[in-house]
Amino acid sequence: MIRRPPRSTLFPYTTLFRSGKAKKKKWSKGKVRDKLNNLVLFDKATYEKLMKEVPSYKLITPSVVSERLKVRGSLARKALAMLQRKGLIKLVVKHHSQVIYTRTTKGGDE
């Protein structure tokens, strides 16, 4: 009876590519954002900050005001409309989705 050599000596490359059981892919839970806890109504300190600081910003949008003062976007829109009526800020562009204001200049309209 002829003895055959072991399989690993006949095909040495097969042992290189043989691996164990395939590992299952672990899915990430996705990026978790922190929940924003923005104000729904102005408190006294935030209202004073709005009246003092916002008219001095060069670019004024509802998103900028919302982020800096930590207020809701709807409250920021109403506050900017009020500041415009008082003449503290000037409208630059009004679009259905974004409104852009700027500070009023000392010289008036150009």
Side-chain angles (χ1 to χ4, degrees), residues 80-91:
L80 292 180
M82 178 200 63
L83 287 174
Q84 185 192 5
R85 280 195 307 274
K86 287 186 175 184
L88 296 172
I89 59 176
K90 186 170 63 173
L91 182 68

Side-chain angles (χ1 to χ4, degrees), residues 53-90:
E53 290 182 14
V54 172
S56 65
Y57 295 164
K58 194 165 192 172
L59 173 74
I60 307 167
T61 62
S63 52
V64 168
V65 173
S66 173
E67 192 175 312
R68 291 188 188 174
L69 299 182
K70 299 286 184 255
V71 294
R72 290 265 174 107
S74 56
L75 186 60
R77 283 195 306 271
K78 300 283 184 187
L80 292 180
M82 178 200 63
L83 287 174
Q84 185 192 5
R85 280 195 307 274
K86 287 186 175 184
L88 296 172
I89 59 176
K90 186 170 63 173

Side-chain angles (χ1 to χ4, degrees), residues 21-30:
K21 198 169 188 179
K23 291 191 170 86
K24 201 169 184 185
K25 182 172 180 357
K26 289 190 166 68
W27 290 95
S28 68
K29 301 289 187 248

Side-chain angles (χ1 to χ4, degrees), residues 2-68:
I2 301 173
R3 240 181 125 174
R4 212 171 102 180
R7 186 172 173 88
S8 60
T9 56
L10 290 174
F11 306 106
Y13 61 90
T14 56
T15 57
L16 295 175
F17 299 112
R18 198 180 315 159
S19 62
K21 198 169 188 179
K23 291 191 170 86
K24 201 169 184 185
K25 182 172 180 357
K26 289 190 166 68
W27 290 95
S28 68
K29 301 289 187 248
K31 292 185 178 169
V32 179
R33 278 187 61 195
D34 293 333
K35 183 158 174 30
L36 296 176
N37 195 9
N38 290 346
L39 297 173
V40 182
L41 294 172
F42 283 116
D43 55 358
K44 191 173 175 76
T46 311
Y47 185 76
E48 288 171 1
K49 194 173 180 183
L50 170 84
M51 298 305 282
K52 189 175 128 195
E53 290 182 14
V54 172
S56 65
Y57 295 164
K58 194 165 192 172
L59 173 74
I60 307 167
T61 62
S63 52
V64 168
V65 173
S66 173
E67 192 175 312
R68 291 188 188 174

